[in-house]
C-alpha cells in the first residue's frame, strides 16, 4: 500500500468516525441552549474546560507518549500500557484527597462529579490512544461514535427530561466515558495488555522525557484557546462568558476537517519520516490541506447565520456575530496543529512548548489589556493575533527540520480575504453579506486549478480501487 493510499484510507476511516461524532455533538448545542441558562452553561463550560487543563497536568500527558512510542518497532505494548496506568494511578490518589477536601468544606455536588469525570476521562484517553497506536483505526473511530451517542442520549435524559442542570451536564460526560471504556476493554481487548508487573522503568523514563514537555505545551494551548472565557467571566460575568462559550462551539465545524486529517497525518508523517524520503510527500499534503481548510472555512463563515438558527436558541442566538472571527482563528489553529506534528515526528517537543508559550502569553496580555475596555471583542483580537504568532513560529521550525514547498504568497492573500469576509459577516448588513459571498467566489477561482486537479486525482483513485475490487 502506497504512502498516499495509506493516508487517504486512514483519513477516510477517521473521517467517517469523526464526521458522525461531530454531527452528534452538533445536536448537543440545541439541548444545552434550551435546557441551560447562560450563567449555568457558563459554569458547565468552565468546568469542562478546567478538565482539559487538569488532565494533561496530573497525567503529564502520558497518553500521548503511549501513542507515540507504540508506533516504534521492538517495543513491548504491555510495558507501555503498564507505565501509562502507573502514572494515572498516582494522579488518582490526588483525586481521593480532593474528594475529602470537598466533603470537609461542603462543596456543591457537581464538584464531586468533576472528580469522577477526571477519573473516567483520563482512563478513556489512555486506552483510546493505546488503541490508535496499535493501528486499530476502525476501532478507534467506532469508539468515538459510541462515546458521542451515549453523550447525546445522556444529555437529553439528564437535561431535558430530569432538568438536572450543571450536574446533568457532567453526568452525561461520565456516562459517555464509561460506555467508551467498556467498548475499549471488551471489544478492543485492551484488558489483554494490562499487566502492572510489566512496568519498565527505563522505558518509563523515556516516555516521561517525551511527554513532560507536552504538559506545559498543553497548558499554553489551554491559555490560548480557553483562558479568555475566564477573563470574560471575571470582568463581564458568567452569562456573557456562557454566550461566548456557545459562540465558540460553532468553529468546531472546521475542526471536523482538521481532526479527520490530523489523526491519520500524525501516523503517516512518522512512518514517512522513518523512510527518509519525506520532502515531496510533505509538500503535496500541506498544499492540499491548506486549500481544504481555507475553502471549507470560507464557506462555513458565509453560512454561519443559518447554522446558528439551529444551534443557538433563545438568549444565545446573538452570539453568532462573534463566531466569524472565532472561526478565522480556528482555521489558523488548523495550520498550527499541522506544523506542530513535525515536533512529534522528530521528538522535539520542547520547541513545541516554546511556540505555544509565546502564543499563550500574547493571548493573555491582549485579553487583560483589552477585555475590561472593549469586552468580548478583546478576546476575539487576542485569539487571532496569538494564532498568527504560533503559525509563523512553527512554520519556521518545520522548515528547519524538513525540505518542503509552500505557496506563501497565495496563502497570505487567502487569509487576508478570509479576514475581510469574517469582519463583513460580523457587520450583519445585506451589502456586507453580499461582499462576503463575493470573497468566497474569489477564493474558489483562486484555487480552481487545484480543485480540479484534486477532483481528478480522487476520481482516478476511486476508479482504481473499484477496478481492483472487481478484478
Amino acid at each position: 500500500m502506497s504512502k498516499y493510499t495509506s493516508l487517504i484510507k486512514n483519513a477516510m476511516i477517521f473521517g467517517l468516525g469523526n464526521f458522525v461524532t461531530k454531527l452528534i455533538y452538533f445536536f448537543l448545542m440545541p439541548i444545552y441552549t434550551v435546557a441551560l441558562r447562560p450563567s449555568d452553561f457558563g459554569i458547565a463550560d468552565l468546568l469542562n474546560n478546567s478538565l482539559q487543563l487538569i488532565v494533561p497536568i496530573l497525567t503529564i500527558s502520558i497518553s500521548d507518549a503511549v501513542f507515540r512510542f507504540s508506533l516504534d518497532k521492538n517495543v513491548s505494548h504491555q510495558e507501555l500500557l503498564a507505565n501509562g496506568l502507573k502514572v494515572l494511578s498516582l494522579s488518582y490518589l490526588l483525586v481521593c484527597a480532593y474528594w475529602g477536601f470537598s466533603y470537609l468544606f461542603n462543596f456543591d455536588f457537581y464538584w464531586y462529579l468533576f472528580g469522577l469525570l477526571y477519573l473516567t476521562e483520563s482512563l478513556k484517553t489512555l486506552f483510546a490512544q493505546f488503541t490508535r497506536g496499535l493501528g486499530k483505526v476502525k476501532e478507534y473511530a467506532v469508539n468515538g461514535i459510541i462515546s458521542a451517542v451515549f453523550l447525546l442520549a445522556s444529555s437529553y435524559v439528564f437535561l431535558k427530561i430530569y432538568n438536572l442542570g450543571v450536574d446533568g451536564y457532567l453526568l452525561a460526560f461520565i456516562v459517555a466515558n464509561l460506555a467508551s471504556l467498556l467498548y475499549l476493554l471488551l471489544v478492543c481487548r485492551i484488558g489483554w495488555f494490562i499487566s502492572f508487573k510489566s512496568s519498565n522503568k527505563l522505558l518509563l523514563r523515556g516516555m516521561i522525557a517525551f511527554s513532560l514537555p507536552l504538559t506545559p505545551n498543553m497548558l499554553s494551548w489551554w491559555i490560548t484557546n480557553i483562558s479568555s472565557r475566564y477573563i470574560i467571566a471575571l470582568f463581564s460575568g458568567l452569562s456573557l462568558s456562557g454566550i461566548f462559550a456557545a459562540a465558540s462551539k460553532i468553529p468546531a465545524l472546521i475542526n471536523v476537517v482538521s481532526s479527520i486529517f490530523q489523526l491519520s497525518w500524525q501516523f503517516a508523517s512518522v512512518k514517512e519520516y522513518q523512510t527518509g524520503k519525506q520532502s515531496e510527500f510533505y509538500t503535496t499534503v500541506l498544499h492540499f490541506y491548506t486549500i481544504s481548510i481555507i475553502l471549507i472555512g470560507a464557506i462555513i463563515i458565509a453560512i454561519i447565520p443559518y447554522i446558528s438558527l439551529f444551534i443557538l436558541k433563545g438568549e444565545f442566538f446573538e452570539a453568532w456575530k462573534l463566531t466569524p472571527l472565532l472561526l478565522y482563528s480556528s482555521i489558523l489553529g488548523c495550520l498550527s496543529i499541522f506544523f506542530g506534528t513535525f515536533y512529534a515526528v522528530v521528538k522535539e517537543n520542547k520547541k513545541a512548548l516554546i511556540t505555544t508559550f509565546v502564543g499563550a502569553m500574547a493571548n493573555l496580555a491582549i485579553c487583560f489589556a483589552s477585555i475590561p475596555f472593549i469586552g468580548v471583542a478583546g478576546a476575539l483580537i487576542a485569539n487571532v493575533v496569538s494564532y498568527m504568532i504560533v503559525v509563523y513560529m512553527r512554520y519556521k521550525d518545520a522548515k528547519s527540520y524538513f525540505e518542503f514547498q509552500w505557496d506563501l504568497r497565495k496563502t497570505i492573500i487567502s487569509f487576508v480575504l478570509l479576514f475581510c469576509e469574517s469582519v463583513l459577516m460580523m457587520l450583519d448588513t445585506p451589502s456586507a453579506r453580499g461582499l462576503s459571498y463575493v470573497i468566497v467566489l474569489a477564493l474558489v477561482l483562486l484555487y480552481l486549478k487545484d480543485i480540479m486537479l484534486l477532483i481528478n486525482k480522487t476520481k482516478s483513485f476511486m476508479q482504481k480501487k473499484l477496478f481492483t475490487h472487481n478484478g
Side-chain angles (χ1 to χ4, degrees):
M1 185 182 296
S2 75
K3 54 196 175 186
Y4 294 106
T5 303
S6 178
L7 177 62
I8 293 171
K9 180 183 176 182
N10 285 337
M12 289 175 68
I13 294 171
F14 286 129
L16 178 61
N18 272 272
F19 176 76
V20 175
T21 300
K22 298 297 184 183
L23 185 64
I24 293 171
Y25 284 135
F26 190 72
F27 286 100
L28 281 170
M29 280 308 296
I31 297 176
Y32 293 155
T33 54
V34 168
L36 297 171
R37 295 172 300 176
S39 58
D40 287 337
F41 185 67
I43 294 172
D45 184 71
L46 291 179
L47 285 171
N48 195 20
N49 288 316
S50 297
L51 184 74
Q52 296 177 28
L53 171 66
I54 292 170
V55 169
I57 291 177
L58 295 188
T59 66
I60 58 170
S61 301
I62 200 66
S63 297
D64 292 285
V66 168
F67 165 70
R68 176 60 184 87
F69 278 72
S70 64
L71 297 178
D72 291 340
K73 299 175 181 178
N74 303 319
V75 67
S76 169
H77 291 116
Q78 280 191 330
E79 291 177 352
L80 273 176
L81 188 57
N83 287 342
L85 289 170
K86 179 179 286 188
V87 173
L88 260 60
S89 298
L90 293 174
S91 73
Y92 295 161
L93 295 176
L94 294 175
V95 174
C96 292
Y98 159 80
W99 275 331
F101 183 82
S102 300
Y103 177 78
L104 286 175
F105 289 90
N106 197 27
F107 283 6
D108 288 327
F109 183 65
Y110 59 72
W111 288 107
Y112 295 94
L113 293 176
F114 182 74
L116 184 58
L117 180 57
Y118 168 81
L119 294 178
T120 58
E121 180 69 24
S122 59
L123 197 58
K124 181 202 76 171
T125 303
L126 177 69
F127 287 171
Q129 290 290 72
F130 183 67
T131 300
R132 185 160 71 105
L134 293 176
K136 297 183 177 183
V137 292
K138 293 180 182 178
E139 291 83 352
Y140 181 85
V142 170
N143 174 63
I145 295 173
I146 290 172
S147 179
V149 168
F150 272 86
L151 178 60
L152 178 63
S154 301
S155 295
Y156 184 83
V157 171
F158 294 140
L159 294 177
K160 289 282 287 181
I161 297 178
Y162 291 104
N163 196 28
L164 295 180
V166 177
D167 292 346
Y169 178 93
L170 296 177
L171 276 170
F173 277 95
I174 292 169
V175 170
N177 286 343
L178 289 174
S180 174
L181 285 169
L182 284 173
Y183 172 79
L184 293 168
L185 283 169
L186 301 179
V187 179
C188 299
R189 300 186 177 184
I190 298 299
W192 287 22
F193 294 92
I194 297 176
S195 173
F196 285 98
K197 294 180 181 179
S198 299
S199 180
N200 183 320
K201 292 183 179 179
L202 183 62
L203 178 62
L204 179 59
R205 283 198 291 269
M207 292 170 66
I208 292 175
F210 174 85
S211 68
L212 203 55
L214 292 176
T215 303
N217 182 54
M218 289 294 294
L219 173 60
S220 298
W221 270 126
W222 183 90
I223 292 172
T224 301
N225 294 319
I226 307 298
S227 63
S228 56
R229 302 181 196 181
Y230 291 81
I231 300 172
I232 291 170
L234 176 64
F235 290 106
S236 304
L238 283 170
S239 292
L240 189 56
S241 176
I243 289 172
F244 182 80
S248 301
K249 301 300 181 184
I250 298 178
L253 291 172
I254 190 65
N255 293 333
V256 174
V257 179
S258 179
S259 60
I260 286 171
F261 174 80
Q262 288 299 333
L263 290 171
S264 55
W265 169 239
Q266 288 175 345
F267 191 89
S269 58
V270 173
K271 294 299 183 184
E272 185 65 14
Y273 176 66
Q274 292 170 348
T275 68
K277 300 176 181 179
Q278 64 275 351
S279 178
E280 181 186 351
F281 179 64
Y282 289 166
T283 296
T284 303
V285 173
L286 174 60
H287 178 67
F288 286 108
Y289 177 74
T290 302
I291 294 171
S292 299
I293 61 172
I294 287 172
L295 293 180
I296 294 172
I299 293 169
I300 295 175
I301 290 172
I303 62 174
I304 277 174
Y306 311 104
I307 297 172
S308 301
L309 287 171
F310 174 76
I311 297 179
L312 304 174
K313 304 293 184 181
E315 298 176 70
F316 291 91
F317 180 72
E318 288 301 312
W320 81 262
K321 294 178 183 178
L322 307 175
T323 305
L325 273 182
L326 287 172
L327 187 53
Y328 181 79
S329 299
S330 292
I331 297 169
L332 288 169
C334 291
L335 276 180
S336 70
I337 293 171
F338 180 93
F339 290 127
T341 301
F342 292 125
Y343 295 120
V345 170
V346 298
K347 296 183 179 179
E348 283 281 359
N349 288 325
K350 290 180 181 178
K351 287 193 174 182
L353 166 61
I354 294 171
T355 61
T356 48
F357 179 78
V358 172
M361 292 302 101
N363 185 282
L364 270 183
I366 296 171
C367 279
F368 275 112
S370 60
I371 289 176
F373 304 103
I374 59 176
V376 175
L380 298 176
I381 295 169
N383 277 0
V384 171
V385 173
S386 59
Y387 271 117
M388 283 182 173
I389 292 171
V390 174
V391 169
Y392 174 76
M393 293 181 69
R394 291 191 166 192
Y395 167 69
K396 297 294 286 185
D397 283 343
K399 287 291 288 183
S400 69
Y401 295 139
F402 307 106
E403 291 183 7
F404 61 86
Q405 303 300 318
W406 195 32
D407 193 337
L408 272 177
R409 180 174 170 272
K410 187 180 285 188
T411 302
I412 292 171
I413 291 172
S414 300
F415 272 93
V416 170
L417 289 173
L418 275 175
F419 182 79
C420 293
E421 181 194 1
S422 301
V423 173
L424 287 168
M425 287 301 298
M426 292 174 70
L427 294 176
D428 193 26
T429 64
S431 58
R433 286 195 188 186
L435 285 172
S436 70
Y437 300 150
V438 171
I439 289 175
V440 175
L441 179 61
L443 286 169
V444 171
L445 293 175
L446 184 64
Y447 289 107
L448 188 58
K449 288 185 179 179
D450 299 293
I451 294 170
M452 297 307 298
L453 177 62
L454 185 59
I455 291 173
N456 290 332
K457 283 183 175 291
T458 303
K459 280 184 180 179
S460 176
F461 172 77
M462 296 303 292
Q463 288 171 355
K464 182 179 179 181
K465 296 297 290 183
L466 184 62
F467 177 78
T468 303
H469 177 73
N470 292 336

